[in-house]
Amino acid sequence: MSPRHTGARFRLPEPIAYTFSGGLARTAAQIGMAPALCHAGIEPNLVVGTSAGAVNAALFATDPNDFELAATELWAGVSKDKALTSIRRSTVRGLASSQASRTRNMLRKHLDRAFGTLTFDQLSLPLSVTATALESGRPVLIDDGSVVDALLATMAFPAVMPPSTLTDGRLVVDGSMVADVPVGQAITAGANSAVVLDAGSSVVDESSVIDIGWYHVMALSATHMLRSQAQHQVAMAAAKIPVVVVSIATGNPFDLRNALDSVPNGTAAADRVVAEINSHIGTRRRTLRPGQHGDQLISR
């Protein structure tokens, strides 16, 4: 773990959005990123999340002070659930019409334990969750109603879980299909600056693709495609507002059993980015201008 720094010497225009990317198992690194950023004095006014990262976003929005403990507890439960940690089993269930809802029901069990009947208006911070409208392919921001239902919608990855039905009757699937890094949605939600907690890298170690199964090929190929559009979206947002990116590419995105191993990497990445921006601006405290600061999105 990197040494702790004294804090950020830069300011961001408010409202500041924490933007939690997708990334399956790697999003556990966000458990380390968010507290490190808060420790540095970069605290959000609103939170946006997509896919698995939306779970962390919702836990942070529920109680920022309890985030690390609550998120660790939830991820620990998922990591021990053999029915969810097998990508192969989840995919086979999703492709079988008679079992298509089983993965969603298993996931709901963990989400119900963490959030219960919590609704968006009961959260400590404004939260927006991104999903993808199945009919139009456009992003949909969910910011009211049941938190658990919204999370199941943003994680409804095709071939693993069936589409979710919103209260207005629209069918939606996983938010990463159109916004793996929902920084554009953060602007829509009112942000004047964004901090991207990025764990959605499609990079994997060579050892991870040796004897790879067809289900991993499908998931990894989809991830590569999603990352190409994420880079463009961050660049578009950075033309309008300051965007600070904290990104990691360590850990296997499909290894849910050991997801929590990436938490220290997230802490170190956030500390490093804050220290690097501090060094660039010198000793004088100033407000960051529109543009991308910190890391580049890691895609290859």
Side-chain angles (χ1 to χ4, degrees), residues 265-276:
N265 297 327
T267 303
D271 285 348
R272 172 181 50 75
V273 166
V274 171
E276 288 177 356

Side-chain angles (χ1 to χ4, degrees), residues 1 4 28-36 56 59-60 63-76 260 263-264 267:
M1 186 179 296
R4 303 303 298 182
Q30 295 165 346
I31 301 173
M33 291 178 183
N56 294 329
L59 287 168
F60 189 90
D63 184 352
N65 294 322
D66 190 49
F67 168 68
E68 192 168 4
L69 180 62
T72 299
E73 183 177 347
L74 174 58
W75 279 89
L260 288 171
V263 173
T267 303

Side-chain angles (χ1 to χ4, degrees), residues 4-22:
R4 303 303 298 182
H5 48 71
T6 56
R9 291 197 297 271
F10 56 90
R11 292 185 293 265
L12 290 168
E14 296 187 359
I16 301 168
Y18 273 8
T19 305
F20 291 75
S21 78

Side-chain angles (χ1 to χ4, degrees), residues 11 24 73 93 98 104 121 138 155 161 171 193 210 223 226-227 229 291 295:
R11 292 185 293 265
L24 200 58
E73 183 177 347
R93 282 195 300 266
S98 61
R104 179 169 61 190
D121 59 356
R138 295 180 180 276
M155 290 191 289
M161 288 168 55
L171 290 175
S193 62
I210 296 175
T223 302
L226 300 177
R227 292 303 285 182
Q229 46 95 348
D295 290 333

Side-chain angles (χ1 to χ4, degrees), residues 30 51 60 91 96 110 113 121 155 180 192 200 283:
Q30 295 165 346
S51 196
F60 189 90
T91 305
H110 293 280
R113 187 177 298 124
D121 59 356
M155 290 191 289
D180 192 47
N192 284 327
T283 58

Side-chain angles (χ1 to χ4, degrees), residues 46-49 54 57-58 61 120 123 125-129 142-144 147 151:
L46 59 103
V47 183
V48 182
F120 280 77
L123 297 172
L125 287 172
L127 169 69
S128 296
V129 169
I142 307 173
D143 57 8
D144 61 6
V147 170
L151 296 178

Side-chain angles (χ1 to χ4, degrees), residues 147-194:
V147 170
V148 169
D149 287 346
L151 296 178
L152 290 171
T154 189
M155 290 191 289
F157 195 86
V160 175
M161 288 168 55
S164 288
T165 305
L166 300 182
T167 54
D168 61 8
R170 283 181 295 175
L171 290 175
V172 295
V173 293
D174 195 297
S176 67
M177 296 291 101
V178 290
D180 192 47
V181 180
V183 66
Q185 287 66 40
I187 295 176
T188 300
N192 284 327
S193 62

Side-chain angles (χ1 to χ4, degrees), residues 202-214:
S202 59
V203 176
V204 295
D205 296 332
E206 183 178 353
S207 60
S208 300
V209 295
I210 296 175
D211 298 325
I212 193 170
W214 62 267

